[in-house]
Structure formats: C-alpha cells, structure tokens
Amino acid sequence: QVQLVESGGGLAQPGGSLRLSCAASGRIFILNAMGWYRQAPGKERELVASIIRGGRTNYADSVKGRFTISSDNAKNTVYLQMDSLKPEDTAVYYCNVVYVDDGRYERVYWGQGTQVTVSS
C-alpha cells in the first residue's frame, strides 16, 4: 500500500503564492512520475504539472511561468510552488504518483486533495 500526505493548500490573494507538497511512502520500488492535478467546481480534473524520473517536467499552458514543480527523490516528495496566483486557479489540487511496487507492477495512486482558494 501507498500513502500520500498532501499539505500546503489554503487561501491566497490574487498575485500571492502558495506551496503544495506531497510525500509518498509505502510499498514503492520505483517512483516513475509525480504530479499535480486540479479540479474546479463543475469542471473536469486537469493536469497542472508533472515531473518524471530523470527530472523532465510538463506544465499546463495556463500555469506556465507561474508554477514550478520540483521533487526531492530521497524523500519521495513533490512540490508545487504557485506564484502569481489568479482566481481561476481556485480548485481542489490532487497529488498523483505513478510507481512500481515491490511486486514490480506499475500503479497509479491519488491523494485525497487539498483546497486552494484564490480570492481577495
């Protein structure tokens, strides 16, 4: 089993910053990718940013230049630094990991989500 501990959500003003973190633990043999998705009310879940083993990153066009994803491989932790926040960034943010378990099967696991609200 895998556990994901998300933290860092909350309320920010437009133009402000927040930093999300997600720590993975459990029966992880190899972490292949970690990422953040978000879902706003009435909308589908969408990719915000991801980072794969080796360090290559991918961002949604709407957050490029404002958000930065990074990881600490020793801690199996992924971070999302969110700057220049806009009201349209308001959503529940979900951590996502793609990993190989100790049975050598690749699996996907989701965190429970953390609310980010951008409002004055």
Side-chain angles (χ1 to χ4, degrees):
Q1 293 181 350
V2 170
Q3 296 80 41
L4 295 180
V5 178
E6 301 166 326
S7 62
L11 175 66
Q13 292 188 341
S17 299
L18 287 172
R19 189 187 192 217
L20 305 182
S21 65
C22 173
S25 61
R27 298 174 63 180
I28 298 171
F29 182 66
I30 298 174
L31 260 181
N32 282 337
M34 301 185 79
W36 291 94
Y37 288 69
R38 67 186 180 187
Q39 188 167 19
K43 295 188 176 181
E44 294 187 352
R45 191 173 297 189
E46 62 175 0
L47 172 69
V48 177
S50 64
I51 184 167
I52 65 173
R53 190 159 57 97
R56 190 172 69 187
T57 58
N58 184 41
Y59 294 92
D61 288 343
S62 59
V63 306
K64 283 182 180 176
R66 300 188 298 120
F67 292 9
T68 304
I69 191 169
S70 61
S71 64
D72 183 335
N73 295 330
K75 297 180 180 179
N76 283 349
T77 299
V78 64
Y79 306 96
L80 185 68
Q81 177 66 40
M82 305 185 291
D83 299 318
S84 302
L85 284 162
K86 302 176 181 180
E88 50 263 45
D89 294 319
T90 296
V92 178
Y93 284 68
Y94 296 91
C95 179
N96 168 276
V97 297
V98 181
Y99 68 100
V100 176
D101 67 15
D102 53 8
R104 306 301 188 263
Y105 291 100
E106 185 172 82
R107 300 187 186 277
V108 179
Y109 197 78
W110 292 90
Q112 293 189 336
T114 184
Q115 177 70 46
V116 170
T117 302
V118 184
S119 175
S120 56

